[in-house]
CSV table of all heavy atoms in Angstrom, one decimal:
chain,number,residue,atom,x,y,z
A,1,MET,N,70.5,103.8,110.9
A,1,MET,CA,70.8,104.9,111.8
A,1,MET,C,71.7,104.4,112.9
A,1,MET,O,71.7,103.2,113.4
A,1,MET,CB,69.5,105.3,112.5
A,1,MET,CG,68.6,106.1,111.6
A,1,MET,SD,69.2,107.6,111.0
A,1,MET,CE,69.3,107.4,109.3
A,2,GLN,N,72.5,105.3,113.4
A,2,GLN,CA,73.4,105.0,114.5
A,2,GLN,C,72.6,104.9,115.8
A,2,GLN,O,72.0,105.9,116.2
A,2,GLN,CB,74.5,106.1,114.6
A,2,GLN,CG,75.5,105.9,115.7
A,2,GLN,CD,76.6,104.9,115.4
A,2,GLN,OE1,77.0,104.9,114.2
A,2,GLN,NE2,76.9,104.1,116.3
A,3,SER,N,72.6,103.7,116.4
A,3,SER,CA,71.8,103.6,117.6
A,3,SER,C,72.5,104.4,118.7
A,3,SER,O,73.7,104.5,118.8
A,3,SER,CB,71.7,102.2,118.1
A,3,SER,OG,72.1,102.0,119.4
A,4,SER,N,71.7,105.1,119.6
A,4,SER,CA,72.3,106.0,120.5
A,4,SER,C,73.1,105.3,121.6
A,4,SER,O,74.0,105.8,122.2
A,4,SER,CB,71.2,106.8,121.2
A,4,SER,OG,70.2,106.0,121.7
A,5,ARG,N,72.8,104.0,121.8
A,5,ARG,CA,73.5,103.2,122.8
A,5,ARG,C,74.8,102.8,122.3
A,5,ARG,O,75.7,102.5,123.1
A,5,ARG,CB,72.7,102.0,123.2
A,5,ARG,CG,71.4,102.4,123.9
A,5,ARG,CD,70.6,101.1,124.3
A,5,ARG,NE,71.4,100.1,124.9
A,5,ARG,CZ,71.2,98.8,124.8
A,5,ARG,NH1,70.2,98.4,124.1
A,5,ARG,NH2,71.9,98.0,125.5
A,6,GLN,N,74.9,102.7,121.0
A,6,GLN,CA,76.2,102.1,120.4
A,6,GLN,C,77.3,103.2,120.4
A,6,GLN,O,77.1,104.3,120.0
A,6,GLN,CB,75.9,101.7,119.0
A,6,GLN,CG,76.7,100.6,118.5
A,6,GLN,CD,76.2,100.2,117.1
A,6,GLN,OE1,75.3,100.7,116.6
A,6,GLN,NE2,76.8,99.1,116.6
A,7,LYS,N,78.4,102.8,120.9
A,7,LYS,CA,79.6,103.7,120.9
A,7,LYS,C,80.0,103.9,119.4
A,7,LYS,O,80.1,103.0,118.6
A,7,LYS,CB,80.7,103.1,121.7
A,7,LYS,CG,81.8,104.1,121.9
A,7,LYS,CD,82.6,103.8,123.2
A,7,LYS,CE,83.4,102.5,123.1
A,7,LYS,NZ,84.4,102.4,124.1
A,8,LEU,N,80.3,105.2,119.1
A,8,LEU,CA,80.8,105.5,117.8
A,8,LEU,C,82.1,104.8,117.5
A,8,LEU,O,83.1,104.9,118.3
A,8,LEU,CB,81.0,107.0,117.6
A,8,LEU,CG,81.6,107.5,116.3
A,8,LEU,CD1,80.5,107.4,115.2
A,8,LEU,CD2,82.2,108.9,116.4
Side-chain angles (χ1 to χ4, degrees):
Chain A
M1 291 293 119
Q2 179 79 41
S3 129
S4 53
R5 294 177 51 208
Q6 205 171 6
K7 186 154 70 168
L8 178 74

